[in-house]
Amino acid sequence: MAKKLAIRLVHSPNGRQPVQRKTAAALGFRKLYQTVVREDTPVIRGMVNRIRHLVEVTEVEE
């Protein structure tokens, strides 16, 4: 089974660098405290790493 990541936006990207705002939007965040579930791939891990100070991540088995 493929692992997935549950990613929750806990800090606002407003006032951050444009690349961080775009990364949050690319992950699918539209609101604060929203949780999105994404496949655990190196690309997604890199995106999460770029905004690690804005999100909480938990692994989900499905």
Side-chain angles (χ1 to χ4, degrees):
M1 288 188 174
K3 285 187 180 177
K4 295 192 177 195
L5 298 175
I7 310 162
R8 185 173 188 206
L9 187 65
V10 293
H11 295 284
S12 176
N14 291 343
R16 304 290 180 170
Q17 296 177 359
V19 69
Q20 293 173 355
R21 290 195 305 266
K22 289 178 183 178
T23 301
L27 281 170
F29 291 114
R30 294 173 183 249
K31 298 180 181 180
L32 196 57
Y33 300 110
Q34 180 181 3
T35 301
V36 295
V37 178
R38 299 286 177 252
E39 294 289 332
D40 187 7
T41 64
V43 173
I44 297 298
R45 287 279 182 166
M47 293 170 78
V48 168
N49 189 40
R50 178 169 273 179
I51 60 169
R52 65 186 174 272
H53 56 287
L54 302 177
V55 297
E56 289 179 350
V57 180
T58 55
E59 291 185 2
V60 178
E61 295 273 344
E62 287 191 17

